[in-house]
Each structure stands twice: as C-alpha cells, then as structure tokens.
Amino acid sequence: MAELQTEPVVVIGLGRFGSALALELTSRGTEVLGIDSRSRVVQSMSGRLPHVTTADSTDIEALRQLGVADFHRAVVAIGTDIQASILTTSLLADLGIPDIWAKAISDQHRRILTRVGAHKVVAPEQDMGERVAHLLSGRILDYVEVDADFAVIKTTPPRDVVGMPLRESRLRSRWGVTVVAVKPQAALGGRRPEFSHATPDTVLAYGDLILVVGPVDNVERFAGAG
C-alpha cells in the first residue's frame, strides 16, 4: 500500500493516546515531531518515532526553538495535567498554528480548550464509552457519530425490508434513514464479499451487512426494528 504524504504534525504529550496517534500517523507516511516533558517517555519512544524530543510545552521559547511555529497542524494530547494542556494550546494559538487539535478529559476542559484556541477538541475516553454503549444496545455492529445528531451504523437489515428493492422499502419515510452501502453475506462468483454502493434497485438479503446513515435516534430505531 502506498504511503500517504501529508503535512507534518507535531504531537505534544506521548501518553497512551498521543503515542498511539503519533505511531499511526508515522505508519501512514506522515512526518511527526513528538514532544513530551518526561524524558523516560521520550526515551521509550526514541526507537519508534524518527523525531521525538523532551521539552516543556508550556515554554513558548522551547516551542520556538523546536520549530513548532512552522507546523501547520498540532495535537495537544496531554491528559491529566489540565493546566499544561490549556497553556500549551494557548501558546500554539499565539504561535499562529492554523490547525490545533486538543484532547479533553471533561466538558469543562473541552470548553476552555476551545476558548484558548483549539480548533478541534476530542475526548477519546468519552467518545469510546458512548460508542460502546451504542454497540451494546441492539443489532448495531459498528457506530460512528459524524455530527452532534447524525451517525453511520453497520447493521443487518430488518426482516420487513428483505427481498425487495430499496426503492420500495420506504426507509426514509418510515425511519428517516438511508442505506448507502451493502456487503452481501454470500460470495458472488467465488469472490470475497465486499461493500458496494447501494442503489434504489438493490435488494437486501438476510445476513447482509449494511451501512445506514441518519439522525442518531432514527438509526438506533431502525437497528432495533428486528
């Protein structure tokens, strides 16, 4: 698989989230500068990340000396030290970084990060908890919330839409959702089943996997239709 060449990213904070992010970006061909204030953490990552260094990210001069101001994208992945997280985000904004991502551990933390300059705030633990709750609540096999009230789910079709073209199933009028892709349960012509775009003429079968998009309440209701 060809590597994807994208703009370099600086990842500040190499705990579980930050290190996993930095390593995944590196594996995808993105140049990453990893920064952490703990020398033992940096040492443990030195053989895994090409560019990793020990520095105090709450010191703007240290950030300047490392060339952080030249980066287009930065991620503040500092976890438990909320003060350092907020100050680092603020300094990145002062340096004029165009795209600042930050990790939050609470709603209050999220609001403050946004106010001091973060363009995108993520809460990995909270987001994963919500995702798992959706997966445990019915026939949903995978769940991705793409906006505050809009989601994509992977599920199997309820019995009353099986065996008919999607145009006749009235999915939008009955549930307010749209099937966008289908993966047949059975292989066709000896080929391995793969997802393909759904069309109005697509006929669903028992055991097919489908990707469904729509408002969160609607996709959950659809998945629970049985």
Side-chain angles (χ1 to χ4, degrees):
M1 182 177 66
E3 292 184 342
L4 299 177
Q5 299 297 329
T6 59
E7 292 187 6
V9 179
V10 56
V11 178
I12 302 174
L14 298 175
R16 283 179 295 179
F17 173 69
S19 60
L21 173 63
L23 291 169
E24 180 64 21
L25 287 170
T26 299
S27 72
R28 292 171 176 263
T30 300
E31 182 179 353
V32 175
L33 170 62
I35 300 174
D36 199 285
S37 62
R38 300 162 294 179
S39 58
R40 60 177 178 79
V41 172
V42 170
Q43 184 177 2
S44 70
M45 296 295 293
S46 61
R48 306 170 70 189
L49 288 177
H51 310 290
V52 59
T53 187
T54 305
D56 179 4
S57 64
T58 65
D59 181 348
I60 195 167
E61 290 305 320
L63 296 177
R64 286 198 177 104
Q65 290 175 14
L66 291 172
V68 171
D70 297 328
F71 282 76
H72 180 82
R73 295 181 296 167
V75 180
V76 181
I78 299 171
T80 56
D81 191 340
I82 295 178
Q83 182 176 344
S85 165
I86 294 169
L87 182 54
T88 298
T89 302
S90 176
L91 294 180
L92 293 176
D94 290 344
L95 290 173
I97 307 297
D99 192 12
I100 302 171
W101 292 58
K103 172 187 174 181
I105 60 174
S106 67
D107 288 338
Q108 183 182 26
H109 188 196
R110 182 196 296 268
R111 289 193 294 270
I112 295 173
L113 288 170
T114 301
R115 289 172 184 169
V116 299
H119 302 106
K120 175 70 174 179
V121 179
V122 296
E125 289 86 358
Q126 178 181 341
D127 294 344
M128 180 55 72
E130 292 176 355
R131 180 169 177 265
V132 171
H134 286 287
L135 299 182
L136 290 172
S137 63
R139 292 188 304 111
I140 297 177
L141 304 175
D142 206 351
Y143 175 95
V144 177
E145 194 165 303
V146 295
D147 206 347
D149 188 39
F150 203 83
V152 181
I153 66 168
K154 180 168 70 174
T155 186
T156 54
R159 63 174 61 89
D160 59 354
V161 301
V162 167
M164 69 176 69
L166 285 174
R167 71 169 74 251
E168 299 177 12
S169 64
R170 298 186 295 114
L171 289 180
R172 291 187 183 179
S173 61
R174 295 168 64 194
W175 284 292
V177 301
T178 302
V179 174
V180 295
V182 181
K183 182 178 182 180
Q185 179 188 38
L188 299 176
R191 296 176 299 177
R192 182 178 178 180
E194 296 180 348
F195 274 106
S196 60
H197 293 292
T199 72
D201 296 320
T202 297
V203 177
L204 302 179
Y206 288 111
D208 286 351
L209 294 179
I210 57 176
L211 298 184
V212 183
V213 301
V216 171
D217 290 344
N218 292 2
V219 295
E220 289 184 336
R221 187 162 55 91
F222 174 78

